[in-house]
């Protein structure tokens, strides 16, 4: 799960998807294309929103997306178009490019709809982002379980 800062959207996406998958079969992680928040916990608003739905993301630590992540992960979901462009820029092969997808394309195929960045927005932005991610992670989890279990 990749966003810009790895403190608002992708930590929520990581926590939500991980909660829907068997822990012994899948590895879910998140990172940012920016490096400002390395080793920092998620934004307190993301932590509080996840907690409301019984998901604990408070132990996550900010990471910077690395080229080596293309080798570690089979699926790379990005939150918005600029994340997509930044991750694609780091890719080196068609196989790596094919791993990168706008996350909401799992819900609205080919429409390239962004998960909006709630960082500078209204407080209810986090709730809206949570609901969007919860809906799309349901689809992703079902697909992954069907394909890999
Ligand atoms: P995120 O939100 O990409 O959803 O984690 C942001 C958080 C911080 C910043 C940008 C986006 N920032 O510029 O510090």
């Amino acid at each position: 799960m990749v966003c810009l800062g790895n403190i608002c959207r992708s930590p929520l996406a990581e926590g939500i998807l991980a909660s829907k998958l068997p822990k012994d079969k899948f590895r879910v992680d998140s990172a940012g294309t920016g490096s400002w928040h390395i080793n920092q916990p998620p934004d307190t608003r993301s932590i509080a929103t996840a907690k409301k739905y019984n998901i604990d993301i408070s132990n996550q630590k900010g990471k910077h997306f690395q080229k080596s992540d293309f080798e570690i992960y089979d699926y790379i979901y990005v939150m918005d178009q600029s994340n997509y462009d930044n991750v694609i820029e780091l890719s080196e092969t068609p196989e790596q490019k094919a791993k990168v997808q706008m996350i909401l394309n799992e819900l609205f195929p080919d429409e390239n709809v962004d998960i909006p960045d709630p960082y500078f927005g209204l407080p209810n932005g986090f709730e809206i982002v949570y609901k969007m991610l919860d809906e799309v992670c349901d689809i992703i989890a079902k697909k992954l379980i069907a394909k890999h279990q």
Side-chain angles (χ1 to χ4, degrees):
M1 298 299 191
V2 180
C3 65
L4 176 58
N6 192 213
I7 55 168
C8 296
R9 292 165 292 175
S10 59
L12 276 175
E14 176 188 334
I16 294 167
L17 184 62
S19 77
K20 296 177 191 291
L21 290 172
K23 276 163 202 33
D24 56 331
K25 295 264 166 60
F26 296 93
R27 173 172 171 182
V28 185
D29 208 343
S30 66
T33 59
S35 58
W36 312 284
H37 302 289
I38 291 172
N39 273 328
Q40 291 177 18
D43 188 285
T44 51
R45 296 165 294 178
S46 280
I47 293 175
T49 306
K51 194 172 170 197
K52 202 174 133 187
Y53 296 95
N54 290 318
I55 294 178
D56 182 5
I57 62 168
S58 62
N59 291 325
Q60 292 184 25
K61 292 273 180 287
K63 287 183 281 314
H64 192 197
F65 184 83
Q66 309 283 316
K67 277 188 181 194
S68 54
D69 290 326
F70 283 112
E71 302 310 318
I72 300 171
Y73 298 100
D74 298 316
Y75 302 88
I76 299 170
Y77 289 107
V78 298
M79 302 295 127
D80 66 27
Q81 186 69 52
S82 73
N83 309 148
Y84 183 85
D85 296 343
N86 289 330
V87 171
I88 287 290
E89 181 94 15
L90 294 172
S91 67
E92 287 170 341
T93 65
E95 289 73 25
Q96 291 182 349
K97 280 188 177 52
K99 291 183 175 186
V100 189
Q101 286 196 64
M102 296 271 286
I103 192 167
L104 281 182
N105 278 357
E106 294 286 353
L107 197 56
F108 311 114
D110 302 319
E111 291 191 26
N112 298 330
V113 179
D114 288 346
I115 298 278
D117 190 343
Y119 188 62
F120 292 112
L122 297 169
N124 73 347
F126 285 79
E127 185 74 22
I128 292 166
V129 163
Y130 186 94
K131 296 247 167 71
M132 292 169 113
L133 288 172
D134 190 49
E135 192 175 350
V136 75
C137 285
D138 254 346
I139 295 172
I140 293 170
K142 287 192 179 100
K143 213 162 130 172
L144 292 179
I145 288 167
K147 195 160 175 199
H148 298 288
Q149 284 250 88

